[in-house]
Amino acid sequence: MSARATTTLAKALNMGLRSAMERDPKVLIMGEDVGKLGGVFRVTDGLQKDFGEQRVIDTPLAESGIVGTAIGLALRGFRPVVEIQFDGFVYPAFDQIVSQLAKMHARSLGHVRLPVVVRIPVGGGIGAVEHHSESNEAYFAHTAGLRVVACSNPADAYFMIQQAIASEDPVVFYEPKRRYWEKAELDPEATPMPLHEARVVRPGEHVTVAAYGPMVRTCLEAATVAEQEGRSLEVIDLRSLSPLDLPLLCASVERTGRLVVVHEAPVFLGLGAEVAARVTERCFYSLQAPVLRVGGFHLPYPPARLEEEYLPDLDRVLDAVDRSMAF
Amino acid sequence: MSARATTTLAKALNMGLRSAMERDPKVLIMGEDVGKLGGVFRVTDGLQKDFGEQRVIDTPLAESGIVGTAIGLALRGFRPVVEIQFDGFVYPAFDQIVSQLAKMHARSLGHVRLPVVVRIPVGGGIGAVEHHSESNEAYFAHTAGLRVVACSNPADAYFMIQQAIASEDPVVFYEPKRRYWEKAELDPEATPMPLHEARVVRPGEHVTVAAYGPMVRTCLEAATVAEQEGRSLEVIDLRSLSPLDLPLLCASVERTGRLVVVHEAPVFLGLGAEVAARVTERCFYSLQAPVLRVGGFHLPYPPARLEEEYLPDLDRVLDAVDRSMAF
Amino acid sequence: MTMASEIEGSQPAHHAAGHPFGPPAGPAGDPPLVQLLTPEGERVEHPDFPLEVTAEELRGLYRDLVLVRRVDTEATALQRQGELGIWASLLGQEAAQIGSGRALAPDDYAFPTYREHGVAWCRGVDPLNLLALFRGVHHGGWDPDEHNFHLYTIVIGDQALHATGYGMGLTMEGAESAVIAYFGDGATSQGDVNEAFIFASVFNAPVVFFCQNNQWAISEPLERQSKIPLYQRARGFGFPGIRVDGNDVLAVLAVTRAALERARAGEGPTFVEAFTYRMGAHTTSDDPTRYRLASELETWKLKDPIERVKAHLARTGQADTAFFAAVEAEADELAARLRHDCLALPDPAPLSMFDHPYVEPHPLVAEEREQFGAYLSRFAEDPASSSSTEGR
Amino acid sequence: MTMASEIEGSQPAHHAAGHPFGPPAGPAGDPPLVQLLTPEGERVEHPDFPLEVTAEELRGLYRDLVLVRRVDTEATALQRQGELGIWASLLGQEAAQIGSGRALAPDDYAFPTYREHGVAWCRGVDPLNLLALFRGVHHGGWDPDEHNFHLYTIVIGDQALHATGYGMGLTMEGAESAVIAYFGDGATSQGDVNEAFIFASVFNAPVVFFCQNNQWAISEPLERQSKIPLYQRARGFGFPGIRVDGNDVLAVLAVTRAALERARAGEGPTFVEAFTYRMGAHTTSDDPTRYRLASELETWKLKDPIERVKAHLARTGQADTAFFAAVEAEADELAARLRHDCLALPDPAPLSMFDHPYVEPHPLVAEEREQFGAYLSRFAEDPASSSSTEGR
Ligand SMILES: Cc1ncc(C[n+]2csc(CCOP(=O)(O)OP(=O)(O)O)c2C)c(N)n1
Ligand SMILES: Cc1ncc(C[n+]2csc(CCOP(=O)(O)OP(=O)(O)O)c2C)c(N)n1
Ligand SMILES: [Mg+2]
Ligand SMILES: [Mg+2]
């Protein structure tokens, strides 16, 4: 494959999965419609054809069953990568994820390892019906025993999915569904950064803006607009939601003195709450303004014709930047 | 019944349930072992005998089934009070709670109301085996469409359970299981305060300490000790976790300038994160120190022989007070 | 043929010597299928399900079938034209839905999935509501109690438990009505659906579990959900299951009526498997050429649920060309009305999303509503202050 | 008697006229029960489950039964004395556990609930591990792969899916071993257990679903979970179910062996219902006098799983009093050793709780560990700085 091709995020994930499957025969893919159909977002396109029905498994329609049997397969030495079709359908598997997947390593005093990846297409903005636009990362980030990451671009998608599969711990892997078809350069030969490190995607001076997944692009656009108004935003892609890369965040906030956290999930107990609380604790004397949060409202995700209003956008990010600067 | 009797928290709940059932024939109790046994904590003791098997229903052993059929019963006009036997067993019902119970009123544009109460004995400190000591309130507090409350004493237990049952919205009702047998005065004739208001349980000057459920008593004890050291702690019982009573919290913090939030749940994305973030935003200029949080560690709940170390106690609260004062 | 064999399947009663657990379980061949109207439009009798239908009733069913198919076609067209976000077509399942929907008494209550447009029709829900839902105007705008038709449920299987709980409530009240829970073949794998079987059986709830086995759960064929015919699932839970020709509106009507009657009589739940076929894509977002052969569709076209009724009506002289033309015209009119009304559907006002998260006041929602309102007014006053490239 | 009737139950084949769905489903009376040793200790033959046991094997089984009961009694005593937080007694279920546990080949894998102390014994897990768990020293200290015995699973039903997944893995590898999933009667109501039936059936996984129907789920009798005998659940999922006398160690051994053999031979899952009785409380925290009659226990005492083996051994001269005395002595010794070792179990070091939340380094855990370590050292240096009334 030619290096530095331009690739969609979905295709990058597909390439990453393929590469992981080629490297390790224990890697399996499981889920609803992941086989012939290649998944409703085509992330597993062609994999069943090339790796067979034993390694790319169309399962019965039961998320708890999928995660529960994936745990059993992991106990036997496999490395299952589970696809949850849409964010809103992970809840039937919540017990298996929270009570079993997250806790079994601890329960066994370290004897048992469950290198299972749960892939979740996340977030709104695609005009879908109910349950197809949820941002539920806070549930899993609050759950000790899990690691939670979110990719925001093709290159990260390609590497992070492989790193997640290679992780000996269970990983909940978020894919920004409305960015699946966005293209960017991907060099498969590049050396990836560690899975749990954040990245400054745009350096700046006045306000730090932290986001992840689908909101990274929104924040970058906001930074472009802000620049025209003479405001320099430092945009950080958190990438890892649990654990958080606090050193990088704090280093930035210590320079800028201001932080805005942006995500689609409702603000109340969303990831921004933890970022705000922790950064404030560490950087209390550096902060010129309270950490401000931009996110979804405290509402069930609204019908599609309202999602543009519901979701944080460039203007709401800039509004928060303004409010931060006003302190 | 004689007013101002001394009652355990479990008995107060029992009295509250009885009173609600007497008042409204649509109130039902459902769950595992709630009938003849009266629940493993005896909170429903005697109710089946007095109200019959149609109103106090021993269900099959399936939490999703319990909550799902409770929703159906509520659609028919009943007001089911569901008992989840232990905190760690609510997860099989997570989908029904988060995707159905929380969202149906919004989904129906207000046509459907689901006045369902989900009672959860919560927290550790009783020397139990795994899954019997979890503090999972943050999951539900993050979920828009739910109300989440936690009682800490018999009088509140008695009134709050009735208010929760009277609520037209679904309520997740937390009961501090290690406080079930603690006694206090209860005057059933008293006028209760509104369900979603917090309460200053001990006024003070130097540091505000906010807690709920089982940790309220711990914080009161800490305040007693602190007083001997010349430190005056204002202890707030949050009572309502979603929504939060911010006006009361902020009024206190504006006076004290310092806030410590205490809960058993892991700190990372625990309720304290939201309290910290929101209070900091509102009271930025009043805060002399960052909001500090005392809670469980980022670990699956440890075996019982370690829980005394794991759980926040008086000393850890005082340690946080010290750290707050040191800013 | 006795009903017991239909209910319990035709498992061999004896096993090969030396196999203590009998022969390996496998697909039990072609299980019996209750049919009252052949694909060719011939009326046949079934000993257990006698059915009297007047010519008028039959014409009424035909009209229902044609109208809901026309609604479906129009909705698909609207989606193609960008007016709906997505549409889940009922094409091929009209008889299963009209037959069961028309079996319901006014007081019975139905719990649909996202595909029960035909049942919605029978319950008097204006199809415009369904278009509005798939357009993204709301998540379910009708009052369920006005129609005894619950909201569409999208999370697979969840509604089976709601239906069961509702049925338990009916029993407690001593009400003499029944509940029908709709779900698909794929849904039978969900824990919630199986828990519903358990609760319904244990509490003897008056529930008809109506499974439209349309052979596919998106791209997954039935073999991914079960090795044996689905109606046999019920026998593991202690209540009867039966397979009916889901493309035969009369058979579905008769069997559903009987099952509802059973429920109302206090005899508990029944599982009805309507054997049918999803003739279209899973939804307008789906591409079935990736996973199934066109020839399969061709076979099923010969069993079309509408054609056979038309053939029967025509052959028996119960309807003439004028009738068929009138129904066609009514369908066109309905489609035109729906298209017009759909295009005219106003987008909900931004602040309306804050209307119904809770029944009672909620300070956080109130605060967010106020702040967002103020934020929007700033833009309204000074649109230039929006830096957004995406037009608002 | 043919096996098919045992597998499929004895539902009437015909229904009353006028009832299209047959008679209302209800308890199917007394279904057949595989038995090889009567409660009186008499050996009986079963056509489908011939079993050859040498005197030595039989004595071995007896020894297992007695020892695990003794472990159980000692654990209960330790709990009463405050040495364990709680204990879930296996009293009455020894035969179900030893019979099935001894049916396992070394490469087979078992997934227990929290009550499978007898199976743990068969898999070579030192009972001290179980005491440690219920004492609160750890949540499961053994290495599952060393014993092919998974950790205790407390969340009802979850392990059924793990067992199924493990079995799917065996199939993929072409391994010729089987998996056994233990669960109780109450657990059959959980969605996860039913999903496990579906996955196991669809993927033809080599799993034996071993249900110990001890008649109670805490205070709830079987009627709260099912209206029909539990072994019949399997037929709804397309695989065989069978009921065995769970107090008959020989019948359990023979039936489980056959089911495991079936699994290894690629014939898929089997459901075994071991019909038994929880002779003690649910756990030491439970008070069964609140919900069941003492007379029920008396009836079951007559079917005691150990007495019948002893009677058989004695009557047939396969064991003498010296043997019985030796087993008794061994049991006492084992109990004394366990008691001693249990009391000597050190509490885990506080910081050890930070050892295994994750395999790989985790900055938050590392930070919390460090901070808590520092905090503890402050107290260690200056105990007076602790204001705690609860002694540390
Ligand atoms: C819990 C859950 N998981 C996954 C989905 C995504 N999904 C929507 S429809 C569907 C297939 C449903 O198949 P079936 O039950 O046969 O109904 P049909 O669509 O064929 O009518 C899936 C997997 C969902 N809606 N809910
Ligand atoms: C999901 C879940 N819900 C509730 C419980 C509490 N609980 C522990 S044991 C038990 C009864 C189990 O009954 P059964 O399956 O028959 O097994 P037995 O205890 O009789 O061996 C219950 C309700 C639990 N452990 N897990
Ligand atoms: Mg289908
Ligand atoms: Mg039991």
Side-chain angles (χ1 to χ4, degrees), chain C residues 24-41:
Chain C
D30 252 355
L33 191 75
V34 177
Q35 198 178 65
L36 298 183
L37 193 62
T38 68
E40 295 71 34

Side-chain angles (χ1 to χ4, degrees), chain C residues 143-303:
Chain C
D143 179 355
D145 280 351
E146 196 185 314
H147 305 279
N148 277 15
F149 184 73
H150 188 63
L151 303 167
Y152 274 14
T153 295
I154 288 176
V155 184
I156 299 294
D158 282 11
Q159 76 281 5
L161 283 166
H162 308 157
T164 301
Y166 196 95
M168 289 162 62
L170 291 177
T171 306
M172 288 177 196
E173 293 175 7
E176 272 182 25
S177 15
V179 181
I180 188 163
Y182 288 90
F183 52 86
D185 43 295
T188 60
S189 294
Q190 279 289 5
D192 274 16
V193 172
N194 292 278
E195 291 185 10
F197 296 158
I198 290 165
F199 278 67
S201 167
V202 164
F203 294 109
N204 203 42
V207 183
V208 176
F209 292 107
F210 193 90
C211 175
Q212 288 169 77
N213 174 2
N214 64 7
Q215 314 302 327
W216 292 92
I218 308 188
S219 74
E220 298 197 12
L222 187 64
E223 305 93 80
R224 295 283 90 183
Q225 319 293 343
S226 182
K227 280 208 163 166
I228 59 170
L230 285 177
Y231 74 96
Q232 294 179 3
R233 176 71 57 83
R235 62 187 190 175
F237 295 87
F239 58 90
I242 187 165
R243 179 180 280 188
V244 59
D245 181 348
N247 285 14
D248 171 354
V249 71
L250 296 183
V252 174
L253 179 70
V255 167
T256 312
R257 262 191 199 152
L260 289 164
E261 208 36 72
R262 220 184 142 257
R264 291 191 207 102
E267 292 171 35
T270 309
F271 184 111
V272 176
E273 177 189 359
F275 201 75
T276 180
Y277 190 70
R278 198 193 76 207
M279 290 175 82
H282 170 69
T283 65
T284 45
S285 306
D286 180 38
D287 173 11
T289 63
R290 293 180 71 101
Y291 54 80
R292 70 184 190 186
L293 296 171
S295 59
E296 193 178 274
L297 177 59
E298 293 313 312
T299 314
W300 278 92
K301 276 190 180 159
L302 302 176
K303 304 182 196 164

Side-chain angles (χ1 to χ4, degrees), chain B residues 32-33 61 63 85-86 89 92 132, chain D residues 93 113-115 154-156 183-188 190 212 214 216-218 278 282:
Chain B
E32 296 155 9
D33 307 293
L61 207 176
E63 286 76 9
Q85 198 159 79
F86 283 89
F89 306 137
H132 292 69
Chain D
Q93 300 177 220
T113 72
Y114 41 81
R115 205 187 287 288
I154 288 176
V155 184
I156 299 294
F183 52 87
D185 43 296
T188 60
Q190 279 288 6
Q212 287 169 78
N214 64 7
W216 293 91
I218 310 187
R278 197 194 77 206
H282 170 68

